[in-house]
Amino acid sequence: MANKDIFYLESVFPEADKVFSSNYPTIEEIKKKCIFILDTNILFVPFDTSEKSLAVIGEIFKQLKVDSRLFLPARVAREFAKNRGKTIGDVFLKIRQKKNGLNSGGFKIDDYPILEHNDDFIKLKENFSAIRKLISESRELFSNIENYILSWNWNDPVSNTYKEIFTPDIVIEMKKSQEDLEKDLKFRIEHKIPPGFKDSGKIDDGVGDLIVWQTVLEIGKDKNMNVILVSNDQKNDWYYIQDKTGLYPRFELFDEFRRFTNGNSIAMINFPQLLKMYNASEDIVDEVENSIRELQEHKQNISEILWLRRNIEIEMRSIVQSYLSDEQKDRFEKRFMNISIMINIMKENDLFSQHFLRELMSFYQVASRAAHEVVNLEPQYIEMGKIILRTLKENNK
């Protein structure tokens, strides 16, 4: 009890009398006289949109900058620098996968002498030949695009646009000391106070969100203005979530911003909302919405892959351990790293009994089906399946 802060809620809401009496204006009420602050995820959206959309986005950002209404936390710039290369790499990978998927082998038709004078067969051969030519030309165009991407240094179209906009005067450093921020982060993680606690498992304990938030607070106070934070992130340490839908921002954020900025208010919108606010055309908004959806699905797939891989390894590890002696278990624990090593341990300890293999195979088949729904199985999983099947066949001889 001595080390437990049972009165933490008094620290989170120190002005209880303001909970009911404070006024939090709507987005419509503040949008004409506020400043806009961009989160990191906003900067990556244009990498997956057309040049037309990029141009419109650039013009909106430029207008906000001219009006002294656009700011970027320095942490956002740093996260952009860290992840830009990976984002471009994802674009390159999509192009290469599309190119590799263009295979002309399926458009080769055999000769059938008995049909050589048939008009339809002659036309069919001409069509197949034209398709094969188009595929070959398309693969060459894909290669040219790959080389174009490879020629980028820091001069890709998106980065070039940002150079004109995010000049040093609008990239704002956080003033709070790192020591004080660490104490703040620890308190928020311990009591699940937004933002940052959702990412506490990251290598940096999820400090990025808190740095961005602290900078938002400081900008709002220094400029003495209401703020609209533009972000596509709707995690539960920013929003109230119900049925996987972000309803509205956490009240703790509204209250903290009001107190820190001496009465100003904050609102949060996503990128499509900002574009609509500045009269972007419907096709631009639709493209950005599709881009955001694909990015979110990609992130979800990565999470599912990591979860699936870990659970496959845990379950297979459990099955293997149930067949080991205490001495073998000790060796197993010391050497266990992944499925590839597990396969070797199974071989060393002659574990390929019929019962064991059938139990393992039953799980493997379920895991394989689940994995294929997310991504192609990694080589070690495929190798595991081959060994199981091969050994089952050998034992059935």
Side-chain angles (χ1 to χ4, degrees), residues 22-245:
S22 295
N23 178 43
Y24 299 101
T26 65
I27 294 172
E28 286 298 315
E29 291 172 328
I30 70 172
K31 68 179 185 180
K32 293 182 179 179
K33 293 183 179 181
C34 72
I35 55 178
F36 291 84
I37 299 176
L38 307 181
D39 196 6
T40 309
N41 49 67
I42 299 300
L43 301 189
F44 289 111
V45 173
F47 281 101
D48 205 31
T49 62
S50 65
E51 289 185 6
K52 178 183 176 182
S53 292
L54 174 60
V56 171
I57 291 168
E59 287 306 312
I60 292 173
F61 287 170
K62 287 175 185 176
Q63 186 57 56
L64 287 171
K65 180 185 178 182
V66 169
D67 295 339
S68 300
R69 300 179 64 199
L70 182 66
F71 295 94
L72 197 74
R75 176 71 183 204
V76 169
R78 292 185 174 100
E79 290 178 352
F80 178 78
K82 176 186 175 184
N83 295 301
R84 170 189 169 275
K86 181 181 180 304
T87 301
I88 292 177
D90 289 341
V91 174
F92 180 85
L93 180 61
K94 288 178 183 178
I95 295 296
R96 174 153 291 185
Q97 287 174 334
K98 290 289 186 183
K99 184 183 79 170
N100 293 340
L102 282 178
N103 192 335
S104 61
F107 293 93
K108 181 179 180 181
I109 190 166
D110 295 330
D111 287 324
Y112 298 97
I114 197 172
L115 298 173
E116 63 181 354
H117 296 300
N118 179 276
D119 291 341
D120 290 334
F121 185 71
I122 293 171
K123 181 63 176 176
L124 186 65
K125 289 182 68 176
E126 291 174 352
N127 287 347
F128 271 48
S129 177
I131 291 171
R132 287 170 62 85
K133 182 180 179 182
L134 285 173
I135 289 175
S136 177
E137 292 175 353
S138 296
R139 286 178 62 88
E140 185 175 346
L141 291 173
F142 271 123
S143 295
N144 292 340
I145 295 170
E146 287 180 358
N147 291 330
Y148 171 61
I149 294 173
L150 289 171
S151 71
W152 291 344
N153 185 9
W154 197 255
N155 59 346
D156 60 271
V158 177
S159 300
N160 277 341
T161 299
Y162 289 167
K163 283 179 185 177
E164 302 177 33
I165 301 167
F166 301 122
T167 49
D169 55 310
I170 68 169
V171 178
I172 310 300
E173 289 283 0
M174 178 187 69
K175 297 176 182 178
K176 192 170 187 174
S177 72
Q178 293 182 2
E179 182 181 357
D180 287 342
L181 193 80
E182 282 190 55
K183 292 178 182 177
D184 188 13
L185 178 63
K186 183 179 179 181
F187 177 82
R188 291 175 189 262
I189 291 174
E190 183 178 350
H191 301 293
K192 293 187 173 8
I193 307 302
F197 69 83
K198 180 81 165 67
D199 295 330
S200 60
K202 289 184 177 180
I203 191 171
D204 61 0
D205 291 331
V207 73
D209 278 1
L210 184 54
I211 294 175
V212 170
W213 175 243
Q214 180 62 35
T215 311
V216 169
L217 293 174
E218 293 171 359
I219 294 172
K221 183 176 182 178
D222 290 346
K223 304 299 179 182
N224 191 27
M225 292 183 70
N226 296 321
V227 167
I228 290 182
L229 176 61
V230 188
S231 176
N232 297 320
D233 205 343
Q234 289 194 345
K235 296 181 294 187
N236 64 6
D237 58 347
W238 286 92
Y239 279 77
Y240 293 106
I241 305 292
Q242 190 60 259
D243 195 25
K244 299 182 180 179
T245 301

Side-chain angles (χ1 to χ4, degrees), residues 316-371:
M316 287 189 170
R317 175 177 180 166
S318 175
I319 293 173
V320 172
Q321 283 183 314
S322 67
Y323 284 80
L324 295 174
S325 66
D326 290 341
E327 181 182 350
Q328 290 172 330
K329 284 181 181 178
D330 183 58
R331 292 173 57 206
F332 179 76
E333 289 294 332
K334 289 179 179 178
R335 292 186 55 192
F336 180 80
M337 287 177 62
N338 55 38
I339 288 178
S340 299
I341 291 179
M342 190 180 349
I343 292 171
N344 293 329
I345 293 173
M346 289 162 62
K347 288 179 180 178
E348 291 174 5
N349 292 283
D350 195 24
L351 290 178
F352 293 106
S353 69
Q354 192 81 349
H355 182 268
F356 168 78
L357 285 166
R358 291 198 180 282
E359 182 180 356
L360 197 58
M361 189 61 187
S362 176
F363 169 75
Y364 176 80
Q365 288 172 335
V366 174
S368 296
R369 286 195 296 272

